[in-house]
């Protein structure tokens, strides 16, 4: 009987912990994301959709800008998960690749810029702890993490272009490679 009571108590505790986590999101990340979305939409409204589209055309004009520069700047300025929202300015074909690159930028840049993904800084700190235990500086590790991340994240985005092309053929669809209104 004690086993059943313990099992039932543990089962209910799972929901209690889930509720506490949800509550922390409601008072933590949800307002932050909401304010960032409002800010981004306000900037778009103030700058004008035409200017934003022009910037998007420049950023999508080559793979280096698409998968190295824009995701890095987005991750640095907006953090995770808002950096992913910049993909909405991409033509449909590039959205999966941008997402791949931007997602990884939110992780590999957090060693030197912990504000990007504070909730996952434990990954970097777990590795850095070994260096700290040895009395070594963790800055070179953070810089290497960032530089290797730039290269790998770019490769991830660009490789996703090729997989998107394969899926297009497989599914018999053709995604737009240009923004609406672009010739």
């Amino acid at each position: 009987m004690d086993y059943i009571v313990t099992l039932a108590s543990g089962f209910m505790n799972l929901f209690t912990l889930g509720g506490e986590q949800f509550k922390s999101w409601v008072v933590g990340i949800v307002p932050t994301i909401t304010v960032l979305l409002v800010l981004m939409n306000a900037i778009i409204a103030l700058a004008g959709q035409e200017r934003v589209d022009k910037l998007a055309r420049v950023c999508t004009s080559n793979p280096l800008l698409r998968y190295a520069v824009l995701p890095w700047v987005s991750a640095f300025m907006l953090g995770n998960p808002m950096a992913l929202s910049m993909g909405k300015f991409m033509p449909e074909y590039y959205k999966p690749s941008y997402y791949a690159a931007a997602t990884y930028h939110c992780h590999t840049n957090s060693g030197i810029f912990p504000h990007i993904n504070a909730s996952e800084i434990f990954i970097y700190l777990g590795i850095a702890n070994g260096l700290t235990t040895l009395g070594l500086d963790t800055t070179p590790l953070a810089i290497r993490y960032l530089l290797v991340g730039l290269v790998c994240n770019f490769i991830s985005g660009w490789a996703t272009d090729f997989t998107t092309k394969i899926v297009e053929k497989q599914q018999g669809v053709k995604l737009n490679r240009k923004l609406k209104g672009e010739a």
Side-chain angles (χ1 to χ4, degrees), residues 17 25 35 60 78 131 152 164 173 183:
L17 292 174
W25 288 349
V35 170
T60 59
L78 300 171
L131 294 176
C152 291
T164 302
V173 297

Side-chain angles (χ1 to χ4, degrees), residues 22 24 46 51 56 67 76-77 81 103 105 123 137 140-141 153 157 164 166 168-170 173-174:
F22 179 70
S24 75
L46 290 171
R51 287 188 179 127
Y67 309 130
F76 181 79
M77 297 300 289
T103 300
H105 277 284
I123 295 170
D137 184 16
L141 173 66
N153 302 341
T164 302
I166 292 168
E168 272 185 329
K169 286 181 184 176
Q170 179 191 43
V173 297
K174 184 81 168 164

Side-chain angles (χ1 to χ4, degrees), residues 66-68 70-72 75 80 83-87 90 93-109 149-164:
R66 259 192 322 265
Y67 309 130
L70 183 62
W72 189 88
N80 187 26
L84 306 176
S85 68
M86 294 305 289
M90 298 278 160
Y93 177 79
Y94 299 117
K95 285 181 181 183
S97 304
Y98 175 80
Y99 181 84
T103 300
Y104 293 133
H105 277 284
C106 288
H107 300 290
T108 58
N109 299 335
L150 283 170
V151 173
C152 291
N153 302 341
F154 169 76
I155 291 169
S156 172
W158 208 16
T160 305
D161 275 354
F162 297 109
T163 26
T164 302

Side-chain angles (χ1 to χ4, degrees), residues 68-77 83 101-117 121 124 142-151 153:
V69 177
L70 183 62
W72 189 88
V73 171
S74 298
F76 181 79
M77 297 300 289
T103 300
Y104 293 133
H105 277 284
C106 288
H107 300 290
T108 58
N109 299 335
S110 62
I112 194 116
F113 304 114
H115 72 281
I116 291 173
N117 200 0
I121 193 69
Y124 168 76
I143 298 292
R144 287 182 181 106
Y145 194 45
L146 173 89
L147 294 175
V148 168
L150 283 170
V151 173
N153 302 341

Side-chain angles (χ1 to χ4, degrees), residues 17-31:
L17 292 174
E20 289 173 13
Q21 181 66 45
F22 179 70
K23 186 169 61 174
S24 75
W25 288 349
V26 169
V27 298
I29 195 167
V30 171

